[in-house]
Amino acid sequence: MPPSPTDPVAVIGASGSLGFGLAIRLARTGVPIAIGSRDPGRAAQTAARAAAAVPDAELTAHDNAGAVRAAGPVILSVPFRNQSETLANLRDALRPGQLLIDATVPLAAAVSGKATRMLGVWQGSAAEQTAEMAPAGVRVVSALHTVSAASLSDLDHPLDQDVLVCGDARADKREAALLIERIEGLRCVDCGRLEMSRTTESLTALLIGVNARYKVHAGIRLAGLPEVPWD
């Protein structure tokens, strides 16, 4: 396991199921978490709920911009309908060199459609939209689209899943992987450039359909990879 980061990790959208699961799973490994929400009161409620799940966690509550300013890496886990507005509001908080891990998926549910369908994104993918909207110098990678939020939130549920990571710089993807792989049972796989996010994001819709059909919280595991894919 890599050493604990010195800077907190901001989870934007921590009141949602995926963001909350990531926050408590990372907090349980000793990572300081800056919980962000549009509503500081809701952030405080989420931090209290996370503290109940992980009593020894190091948690702080902020509005979204405050969480970004208080952190090193940032995880963006908001619904697609909120992605553009959230990023616009974070332009003055995000800083050059900061790592931004985007977990957004453009599901049709954002416009009252089916969660098993995808929306077309002009830039090609939600992650590419993030890269276009983020200030210059912010390092954007995409990840975490196929990890079950329900499984993450259940700390007693064992994880044995791969996380598909896309980005234009291998060093950025490796940094994201070192953070994500602190969560026991998650293994990160380099899936290529950020433009490949249009494929990895669509797997969320596929898994929603599979999980509804079988009434499970299945993820993805790739066979035949090296024991340590990032060497």
Side-chain angles (χ1 to χ4, degrees), residues 59-146:
L59 302 158
T60 54
H62 313 260
D63 64 8
N64 285 332
V68 168
R69 292 189 178 101
V74 176
I75 298 174
L76 182 66
S77 59
V78 298
F80 181 67
R81 63 180 176 272
N82 301 127
Q83 184 198 34
S84 179
E85 179 185 1
T86 300
L87 287 167
N89 291 336
L90 292 177
R91 281 197 62 85
D92 292 336
L94 289 163
R95 56 191 182 272
Q98 201 161 24
L99 180 68
L100 176 55
I101 303 171
D102 186 273
T104 313
V105 179
L107 296 173
V111 293
S112 302
K114 293 185 177 180
T116 52
R117 295 179 181 171
M118 300 289 289
L119 295 174
V121 182
W122 181 259
Q123 293 84 350
S125 66
E128 288 169 291
Q129 177 169 279
T130 290
E132 183 176 280
M133 294 190 66
V138 173
R139 301 174 296 135
V140 176
V141 302
S142 72
L144 299 160
H145 307 110
T146 62

